[in-house]
């Protein structure tokens, strides 16, 4: 569950990146965040990752108030989030299996846990047959599926994706969105930043529109009244 209450973010330079933003996403919910460049989308994700502190307002993630969180708890908090980026950010010198296993290994997982969980996760994203491939041997859509597997391997409560299909053609973009939808149906809260009207229309999910840092729309099937 994600809840923002009257969140504003003013950068030091005086830029009002977010103004009085409020919304709630229930556990297992799926929400698109759309808006022009500069409307505050990335700032919103950085606040949720606790990379930034809001100038005012309250942010709750799974009942925890990020404003009350001691600094030493931030790494543990971040492990409850999965993050996916536009540019995949895979390790080029490691194969698919190792890219996913790496994220598990850093949490101190045993060899046995890795051998059990990584293949299961690669199966979930449809990459079982490619586990030995290196990122450069994969299509963009496949690389993003590896990145999603890596983001999910530690079983996060929340998945944040910043333009995850920005580098993909529309076929692969829809494929990735269907995968994110499946993930939310399994109980993970999914928040996806996108520019693509085509995708938003195809998926028919809740859409929160930002304009100059303010929520100007928040509704399901956003295209119906466009
Ligand atoms: P989006 O991701 O929707 O393109 P951003 O959240 O990156 O928007 O930016 C929102 C606004 O905040 C923009 O006006 C941008 O110039 C400003 N901004 C973003 N990051 C910083 C920063 N580190 N310092 C000052 N202003 C910033
Ligand atoms: Mg951005």
């Amino acid at each position: 569950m994600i809840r923002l209450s009257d969140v504003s973010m003013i950068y030091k330079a005086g830029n009002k990146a977010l103004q009085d933003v409020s919304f709630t996403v229930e556990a297992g919910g799926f929400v698109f965040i759309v808006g022009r460049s500069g409307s505050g989308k990335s700032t919103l994700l950085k606040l949720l990752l606790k990379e930034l502190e809001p100038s005012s307002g309250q942010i709750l993630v799974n009942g925890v108030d990020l404003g009350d969180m001691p600094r030493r708890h931030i790494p543990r908090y971040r492990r409850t989030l999965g993050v996916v980026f536009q540019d995949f950010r895979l390790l080029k010198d490691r194969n698919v299996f190792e890219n996913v296993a790496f994220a598990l290994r850093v949490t101190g997982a045993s060899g046995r846990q890795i051998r059990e969980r990584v293949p299961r996760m690669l199966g979930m994203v449809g990459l079982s047959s490619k586990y030995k491939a290196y990122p450069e041997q994969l299509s963009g859509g496949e690389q993003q599926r590896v990145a999603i597997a890596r983001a999910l391997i530690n079983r996060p409560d929340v998945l944040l994706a910043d333009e995850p299909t920005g580098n993909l053609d529309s076929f692969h973009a829809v494929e990735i969105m269907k995968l994110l939808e499946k993930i939310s149906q399994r109980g993970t809260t999914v928040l996806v930043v996108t520019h693509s009207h085509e995708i938003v229309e195809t998926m028919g999910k809740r859409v929160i529109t930002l304009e100059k840092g303010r929520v100007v729309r928040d509704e399901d099937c956003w295209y119906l009244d466009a």
Side-chain angles (χ1 to χ4, degrees):
M1 188 273 293
I2 296 171
R3 174 166 291 155
L4 278 77
S5 307
D6 295 318
V7 171
S8 295
M9 177 69 206
I10 304 168
Y11 284 104
K12 285 205 182 72
N15 292 339
K16 290 182 180 170
L18 293 174
Q19 294 188 65
D20 298 322
V21 169
S22 298
F23 63 83
T24 300
V25 187
E26 298 302 338
F30 186 116
V31 178
F32 285 117
I33 306 286
V34 304
R36 296 205 177 137
S37 178
S39 59
K41 306 181 300 295
S42 295
T43 298
L44 182 61
L45 295 186
K46 286 177 187 157
L47 290 172
L48 289 169
L49 286 161
K50 211 168 155 67
E51 288 176 9
L52 291 173
E53 297 300 322
S55 308
S56 59
Q58 186 190 46
I59 304 175
L60 294 178
V61 179
N62 296 322
V64 177
D65 185 336
L66 299 196
D68 291 341
M69 187 179 291
R71 191 175 282 272
R72 66 179 191 282
H73 289 173
I74 294 175
R76 189 170 69 196
Y77 163 67
R78 289 200 182 126
R79 283 199 289 276
T80 69
L81 309 174
V83 192
V84 175
F85 303 95
Q86 178 172 351
D87 55 357
F88 321 136
R89 302 194 189 180
L90 300 176
L91 300 168
K92 289 186 167 49
D93 59 346
R94 296 185 194 220
N95 66 24
V96 166
F97 186 97
E98 282 303 321
N99 264 279
V100 178
F102 184 76
L104 200 49
R105 213 164 261 143
V106 295
T107 68
S110 68
R112 182 177 164 182
Q113 283 173 316
I114 289 168
R115 285 191 301 276
E116 278 175 9
R117 280 169 64 180
V118 174
R120 207 183 311 141
M121 185 57 69
L122 290 175
M124 216 269 290
V125 301
L127 282 177
S128 295
S129 64
K130 303 261 176 164
Y131 73 100
K132 279 184 174 166
Y134 284 82
E136 64 179 19
Q137 298 169 318
L138 300 174
S139 72
E142 288 168 339
Q143 290 185 57
Q144 193 59 299
R145 283 191 270 147
V146 178
I148 291 169
R150 178 182 58 187
L152 293 175
I153 195 71
N154 289 311
R155 301 174 179 162
D157 302 310
V158 172
L159 183 70
L160 304 174
D162 198 354
E163 298 275 359
T165 61
N167 287 332
L168 304 179
D169 60 40
S170 55
F171 174 81
H172 288 106
V174 169
E175 188 185 77
I176 291 296
M177 289 299 168
K178 295 277 181 204
L179 175 59
L180 296 178
E181 181 180 37
K182 180 163 105 178
I183 289 159
S184 81
Q185 285 162 352
R186 291 177 180 207
T188 305
T189 309
V190 177
L191 200 141
V192 181
V193 167
T194 183
H195 265 104
S196 169
H197 285 210
E198 189 190 345
I199 282 187
V200 166
E201 290 174 21
T202 306
M203 300 297 292
K205 296 282 184 186
R206 177 177 171 195
V207 184
I208 296 175
T209 307
L210 290 176
E211 219 173 273
K212 295 180 184 159
R214 291 184 184 276
V215 175
V216 295
R217 284 198 219 206
D218 180 352
E219 53 203 15
D220 293 334
C221 295
W222 160 81
Y223 59 94
L224 290 175
D225 73 334

